[in-house]
Amino acid sequence: MSARIYQRPKNAMQSGKAGTSDWLLEFEASEAKRADPLMGWAGSGDTQQQVVLSFESQEDAQAYAQRYGIEAHVIPTPPRKLKLQSYADNFR
């Protein structure tokens, strides 16, 4: 059972940063999804994909994974790049 630990990025469509400080532990898929023959929806028997755990810090998430024997790898948070410009720069 493997998982990844990461921080959710800020939504590009909104200016708020709610929920971006939490660290998430998300399990990786253990089996491929397949199409249901009747409805055509994609699904699998893997219920671990539905579990997403939220933690206050990266260390808490790693400690949880270590405590329960989950092989987890950390995806580092990319640095935020701000493009500061004035309104007048739109008309240059």
Side-chain angles (χ1 to χ4, degrees), residues 55-73:
F55 297 93
E56 301 242 344
S57 68
Q58 176 184 348
E59 291 78 22
D60 291 343
Q62 287 176 322
Y64 179 87
Q66 187 176 19
R67 186 178 330 126
Y68 291 103
I70 300 168
E71 181 185 328
H73 61 277

Side-chain angles (χ1 to χ4, degrees), residues 4 26-37 40-51:
R4 59 181 171 257
E26 185 177 65
F27 292 96
E28 295 178 352
S30 63
E31 68 180 57
K33 291 188 178 185
R34 56 190 181 280
D36 181 76
W41 296 341
S44 71
D46 181 24
T47 58
Q48 289 288 348
Q49 286 180 299
Q50 301 170 6
V51 177

Side-chain angles (χ1 to χ4, degrees), residues 8-17 20:
R8 183 177 292 144
K10 184 181 95 56
N11 186 348
M13 302 303 290
Q14 297 178 354
S15 62
K17 295 181 184 177
T20 59

